[in-house]
Amino acid sequence: MPPGPIQCVHAPRDGRSLTGDIRLLEAFHSDALGNSRDVLVYLPPGYDHDQTRRFPVLYLHDGQNVFDTSTSFAGAEWGVDETAERLVHAGRVMPLVIVAINHAGALRADEFAPTRDAHRHAGGHANHYARFLVDELKPYIDRTFRTQPEAASTAVGGSSLGGLVTLHIGLEHPGVFGALAVLSPSIWWDRRAVLTRVEGLPARLPWRIWLDVGTAEGRDTVRNARALRGVLQEKGWEPGADLHYLEVHDAPHSEAAWAERVGPLLEFLFPVTASS
């Protein structure tokens, strides 16, 4: 049976740690993936006040961990809603729409890893996930909410395997996303295949990139992040301009650690400018 129409409602608050105006797209169906998932959409302060204003958009993977302790891994959320509210009200971040895309549970690695790992029996469906995001979810978001749909105003991000799929989506669709938030990326997957792809770029792509890692995530994770930073710089990205690289001393591979980086990440990717 084909899925019914998408229901966009105010997200329920009972037992949830949600802040601000958050809408729920319940069981958003994807033909590309052949499954459905909930999507939460945060609307910035002032969204309803000026009906002519449009807003940039940040898409985040692993949506269960983005806004809500009741759904997050081990009860630790990123607190993106609280951080965005605080920074927007303080005039430090441009008002933006934030789309938190729930992962597919046991199929998470399948959807986030570009290639199949025979030993882990996982991966290989990242192209389908990218099609879901680019061809199904983003068009719906742009139709339903007052967004700035152009690449320069659209970012995508995630951590761990979510960082890996962020790089993959950027490489596959450089004309759709103009900014990437890559937190503690799983560059190790398939013998660093994503690093090889970046090395193969003829030149810099039109992205602004946030790249980070914690020094307590393991020697290889830090080494891989540094290698990616080096390749990006070789291709023409400039630290402090369109590339921000951060190593956080003693930070582990965890939701709580990534939550600490949300504020600086938003300030780098969505700075308040004179025109805004």
Side-chain angles (χ1 to χ4, degrees), residues 229-264:
R229 174 193 58 181
V231 172
L232 291 171
Q233 290 181 223
E234 290 172 4
K235 297 299 176 181
W237 276 274
E238 297 184 13
D242 51 15
L243 172 63
H244 186 100
Y245 178 74
L246 176 67
E247 284 186 17
V248 185
H249 182 66
D250 281 345
H253 196 81
S254 72
E255 312 303 332
W258 297 319
E260 293 292 325
R261 276 113 85 173
V262 168

Short mmCIF file of all heavy atoms in Angstrom, two decimals, residues 229-264:
data_model
loop_
_atom_site.label_atom_id
_atom_site.label_comp_id
_atom_site.label_asym_id
_atom_site.label_seq_id
_atom_site.Cartn_x
_atom_site.Cartn_y
_atom_site.Cartn_z
N ARG A 229 42.21 16.96 6.79
CA ARG A 229 42.51 18.39 6.82
C ARG A 229 43.63 18.72 5.83
O ARG A 229 43.54 19.71 5.07
CB ARG A 229 42.93 18.81 8.22
CG ARG A 229 43.39 20.26 8.31
CD ARG A 229 44.08 20.57 9.62
NE ARG A 229 45.22 19.72 9.87
CZ ARG A 229 45.99 19.77 10.97
NH1 ARG A 229 45.72 20.67 11.91
NH2 ARG A 229 47.01 18.96 11.12
N GLY A 230 44.69 17.91 5.84
CA GLY A 230 45.81 18.17 4.95
C GLY A 230 45.42 18.11 3.48
O GLY A 230 45.83 18.97 2.68
N VAL A 231 44.62 17.12 3.12
CA VAL A 231 44.19 17.00 1.72
C VAL A 231 43.31 18.18 1.33
O VAL A 231 43.45 18.73 0.23
CB VAL A 231 43.45 15.66 1.51
CG1 VAL A 231 42.84 15.61 0.11
CG2 VAL A 231 44.40 14.49 1.71
N LEU A 232 42.41 18.58 2.21
CA LEU A 232 41.54 19.72 1.91
C LEU A 232 42.36 20.98 1.68
O LEU A 232 42.09 21.76 0.76
CB LEU A 232 40.54 19.94 3.05
CG LEU A 232 39.46 18.86 3.22
CD1 LEU A 232 38.70 19.08 4.51
CD2 LEU A 232 38.51 18.84 2.02
N GLN A 233 43.38 21.18 2.50
CA GLN A 233 44.23 22.36 2.32
C GLN A 233 45.01 22.28 1.00
O GLN A 233 45.17 23.28 0.30
CB GLN A 233 45.19 22.51 3.50
CG GLN A 233 44.49 22.90 4.79
CD GLN A 233 45.47 23.07 5.94
OE1 GLN A 233 45.23 22.64 7.05
NE2 GLN A 233 46.60 23.72 5.68
N GLU A 234 45.46 21.09 0.64
CA GLU A 234 46.15 20.92 -0.63
C GLU A 234 45.25 21.25 -1.81
O GLU A 234 45.71 21.76 -2.83
CB GLU A 234 46.66 19.48 -0.77
CG GLU A 234 47.81 19.13 0.16
CD GLU A 234 48.14 17.65 0.11
OE1 GLU A 234 47.52 16.93 -0.71
OE2 GLU A 234 49.01 17.21 0.88
N LYS A 235 43.94 21.00 -1.66
CA LYS A 235 42.99 21.26 -2.74
C LYS A 235 42.55 22.72 -2.79
O LYS A 235 41.84 23.11 -3.72
CB LYS A 235 41.77 20.35 -2.59
CG LYS A 235 42.07 18.87 -2.70
CD LYS A 235 42.67 18.52 -4.07
CE LYS A 235 43.07 17.05 -4.14
NZ LYS A 235 43.69 16.72 -5.46
N GLY A 236 42.91 23.51 -1.79
CA GLY A 236 42.61 24.92 -1.87
C GLY A 236 41.74 25.49 -0.77
O GLY A 236 41.49 26.70 -0.74
N TRP A 237 41.27 24.65 0.16
CA TRP A 237 40.52 25.18 1.30
C TRP A 237 41.48 25.93 2.22
O TRP A 237 42.61 25.47 2.47
CB TRP A 237 39.82 24.06 2.04
CG TRP A 237 38.49 23.68 1.46
CD1 TRP A 237 37.28 24.24 1.72
CD2 TRP A 237 38.25 22.63 0.51
NE1 TRP A 237 36.29 23.61 1.00
CE2 TRP A 237 36.86 22.61 0.24
CE3 TRP A 237 39.06 21.70 -0.15
CZ2 TRP A 237 36.26 21.71 -0.64
CZ3 TRP A 237 38.46 20.81 -1.03
CH2 TRP A 237 37.09 20.82 -1.27
N GLU A 238 41.01 27.05 2.76
CA GLU A 238 41.87 27.89 3.59
C GLU A 238 41.40 27.89 5.04
O GLU A 238 40.26 28.28 5.32
CB GLU A 238 41.86 29.33 3.06
CG GLU A 238 42.44 29.47 1.67
CD GLU A 238 42.51 30.91 1.23
OE1 GLU A 238 42.34 31.80 2.10
OE2 GLU A 238 42.74 31.15 0.04
N PRO A 239 42.26 27.44 5.96
CA PRO A 239 41.90 27.46 7.38
C PRO A 239 41.52 28.87 7.83
O PRO A 239 42.18 29.86 7.48
CB PRO A 239 43.17 26.98 8.08
CG PRO A 239 43.88 26.18 7.04
CD PRO A 239 43.59 26.85 5.72
N GLY A 240 40.42 28.95 8.58
CA GLY A 240 39.95 30.23 9.07
C GLY A 240 39.05 30.95 8.10
O GLY A 240 38.34 31.89 8.49
N ALA A 241 39.05 30.53 6.84
CA ALA A 241 38.19 31.16 5.83
C ALA A 241 37.04 30.21 5.48
O ALA A 241 35.91 30.39 5.93
CB ALA A 241 39.00 31.53 4.60
N ASP A 242 37.35 29.16 4.70
CA ASP A 242 36.31 28.20 4.34
C ASP A 242 36.56 26.81 4.94
O ASP A 242 35.87 25.85 4.61
CB ASP A 242 36.16 28.10 2.82
CG ASP A 242 37.48 27.85 2.11
OD1 ASP A 242 38.46 27.48 2.78
OD2 ASP A 242 37.54 28.05 0.88
N LEU A 243 37.54 26.71 5.83
CA LEU A 243 37.81 25.45 6.54
C LEU A 243 38.10 25.77 8.00
O LEU A 243 38.97 26.59 8.30
CB LEU A 243 39.01 24.72 5.92
CG LEU A 243 39.53 23.50 6.67
CD1 LEU A 243 38.47 22.40 6.75
CD2 LEU A 243 40.81 22.97 6.02
N HIS A 244 37.36 25.13 8.90
CA HIS A 244 37.65 25.25 10.33
C HIS A 244 37.94 23.85 10.85
O HIS A 244 37.08 22.97 10.82
CB HIS A 244 36.46 25.84 11.09
CG HIS A 244 36.77 26.10 12.53
ND1 HIS A 244 37.09 27.35 13.01
CD2 HIS A 244 36.85 25.25 13.60
CE1 HIS A 244 37.31 27.28 14.31
NE2 HIS A 244 37.19 26.01 14.68
N TYR A 245 39.17 23.65 11.31
CA TYR A 245 39.58 22.36 11.86
C TYR A 245 39.78 22.51 13.37
O TYR A 245 40.46 23.44 13.83
CB TYR A 245 40.88 21.87 11.23
CG TYR A 245 41.37 20.57 11.82
CD1 TYR A 245 40.75 19.37 11.51
CD2 TYR A 245 42.45 20.55 12.70
CE1 TYR A 245 41.19 18.18 12.05
CE2 TYR A 245 42.92 19.36 13.24
CZ TYR A 245 42.27 18.18 12.92
OH TYR A 245 42.71 17.00 13.47
N LEU A 246 39.20 21.58 14.13
CA LEU A 246 39.27 21.66 15.59
C LEU A 246 39.62 20.29 16.16
O LEU A 246 38.97 19.29 15.85
CB LEU A 246 37.92 22.12 16.16
CG LEU A 246 37.79 22.16 17.68
CD1 LEU A 246 38.70 23.24 18.27
CD2 LEU A 246 36.33 22.40 18.09
N GLU A 247 40.66 20.25 17.00
CA GLU A 247 40.95 19.09 17.82
C GLU A 247 40.64 19.45 19.27
O GLU A 247 41.19 20.44 19.79
CB GLU A 247 42.42 18.68 17.70
CG GLU A 247 42.74 17.96 16.42
CD GLU A 247 44.17 17.43 16.38
OE1 GLU A 247 44.82 17.34 17.46
OE2 GLU A 247 44.63 17.11 15.27
N VAL A 248 39.79 18.67 19.90
CA VAL A 248 39.37 18.96 21.26
C VAL A 248 40.10 18.04 22.21
O VAL A 248 39.94 16.81 22.15
CB VAL A 248 37.85 18.80 21.42
CG1 VAL A 248 37.41 19.22 22.82
CG2 VAL A 248 37.10 19.61 20.37
N HIS A 249 40.90 18.62 23.08
CA HIS A 249 41.73 17.83 23.99
C HIS A 249 40.87 16.96 24.90
O HIS A 249 39.93 17.45 25.55
CB HIS A 249 42.61 18.75 24.83
CG HIS A 249 43.54 18.03 25.76
ND1 HIS A 249 44.57 17.24 25.30
CD2 HIS A 249 43.58 17.97 27.12
CE1 HIS A 249 45.21 16.72 26.33
NE2 HIS A 249 44.64 17.15 27.44
N ASP A 250 41.19 15.66 24.94
CA ASP A 250 40.55 14.67 25.81
C ASP A 250 39.08 14.44 25.50
O ASP A 250 38.39 13.78 26.29
CB ASP A 250 40.69 15.08 27.29
CG ASP A 250 42.06 14.74 27.85
OD1 ASP A 250 42.78 13.95 27.20
OD2 ASP A 250 42.42 15.27 28.92
N ALA A 251 38.57 14.93 24.38
CA ALA A 251 37.15 14.68 24.04
C ALA A 251 36.99 13.28 23.47
O ALA A 251 37.72 12.89 22.56
CB ALA A 251 36.66 15.72 23.05
N PRO A 252 36.02 12.50 23.98
CA PRO A 252 35.78 11.16 23.48
C PRO A 252 34.84 11.16 22.27
O PRO A 252 34.37 12.21 21.83
CB PRO A 252 35.12 10.46 24.66
CG PRO A 252 34.34 11.56 25.32
CD PRO A 252 35.17 12.82 25.14
N HIS A 253 34.57 9.98 21.78
CA HIS A 253 33.65 9.78 20.66
C HIS A 253 32.25 9.60 21.25
O HIS A 253 31.80 8.47 21.48
CB HIS A 253 34.08 8.53 19.88
CG HIS A 253 33.51 8.39 18.51
ND1 HIS A 253 34.02 9.04 17.41
CD2 HIS A 253 32.46 7.65 18.05
CE1 HIS A 253 33.32 8.71 16.34
NE2 HIS A 253 32.37 7.87 16.69
N SER A 254 31.55 10.69 21.51
CA SER A 254 30.28 10.60 22.22
C SER A 254 29.36 11.75 21.88
O SER A 254 29.81 12.82 21.44
CB SER A 254 30.51 10.58 23.74
OG SER A 254 30.92 11.86 24.19
N GLU A 255 28.06 11.54 22.12
CA GLU A 255 27.07 12.59 21.88
C GLU A 255 27.37 13.82 22.74
O GLU A 255 27.24 14.96 22.28
CB GLU A 255 25.66 12.08 22.17
CG GLU A 255 25.29 10.74 21.56
CD GLU A 255 25.43 10.69 20.06
OE1 GLU A 255 25.30 11.73 19.41
OE2 GLU A 255 25.70 9.57 19.54
N ALA A 256 27.74 13.61 23.99
CA ALA A 256 28.01 14.74 24.89
C ALA A 256 29.18 15.58 24.38
O ALA A 256 29.17 16.81 24.46
CB ALA A 256 28.29 14.23 26.30
N ALA A 257 30.19 14.91 23.82
CA ALA A 257 31.35 15.64 23.29
C ALA A 257 30.94 16.46 22.07
O ALA A 257 31.36 17.61 21.91
CB ALA A 257 32.47 14.67 22.94
N TRP A 258 30.13 15.87 21.19
CA TRP A 258 29.70 16.60 20.00
C TRP A 258 28.78 17.76 20.38
O TRP A 258 28.81 18.80 19.73
CB TRP A 258 29.02 15.64 19.03
CG TRP A 258 29.98 14.59 18.55
CD1 TRP A 258 31.29 14.77 18.19
CD2 TRP A 258 29.73 13.19 18.41
NE1 TRP A 258 31.87 13.57 17.82
CE2 TRP A 258 30.94 12.58 17.95
CE3 TRP A 258 28.62 12.37 18.60
CZ2 TRP A 258 31.04 11.22 17.70
CZ3 TRP A 258 28.71 11.01 18.35
CH2 TRP A 258 29.91 10.45 17.90
N ALA A 259 27.99 17.59 21.43
CA ALA A 259 27.12 18.69 21.87
C ALA A 259 27.93 19.93 22.22
O ALA A 259 27.49 21.06 21.99
CB ALA A 259 26.29 18.24 23.07
N GLU A 260 29.13 19.73 22.77
CA GLU A 260 29.97 20.86 23.16
C GLU A 260 30.45 21.67 21.94
O GLU A 260 30.82 22.83 22.07
CB GLU A 260 31.19 20.36 23.95
CG GLU A 260 30.86 19.76 25.30
CD GLU A 260 30.35 20.80 26.27
OE1 GLU A 260 30.83 21.95 26.21
OE2 GLU A 260 29.45 20.47 27.07
N ARG A 261 30.43 21.03 20.76
CA ARG A 261 30.93 21.71 19.56
C ARG A 261 29.82 22.37 18.73
O ARG A 261 30.10 23.03 17.72
CB ARG A 261 31.67 20.70 18.68
CG ARG A 261 33.12 20.52 19.13
CD ARG A 261 33.42 19.15 19.69
NE ARG A 261 33.75 18.16 18.68
CZ ARG A 261 34.18 16.94 18.95
NH1 ARG A 261 34.34 16.55 20.21
NH2 ARG A 261 34.44 16.09 17.99
N VAL A 262 28.57 22.21 19.12
CA VAL A 262 27.46 22.72 18.31
C VAL A 262 27.51 24.24 18.19
O VAL A 262 27.33 24.80 17.10
CB VAL A 262 26.11 22.27 18.90
CG1 VAL A 262 24.95 23.03 18.26
CG2 VAL A 262 25.92 20.77 18.70
N GLY A 263 27.76 24.93 19.30
CA GLY A 263 27.79 26.38 19.26
C GLY A 263 28.83 26.94 18.30
O GLY A 263 28.50 27.71 17.38
N PRO A 264 30.10 26.58 18.47
CA PRO A 264 31.12 27.06 17.52
C PRO A 264 30.84 26.65 16.08
O PRO A 264 31.10 27.41 15.14
CB PRO A 264 32.41 26.42 18.04
CG PRO A 264 32.15 26.16 19.49
CD PRO A 264 30.69 25.83 19.59
#
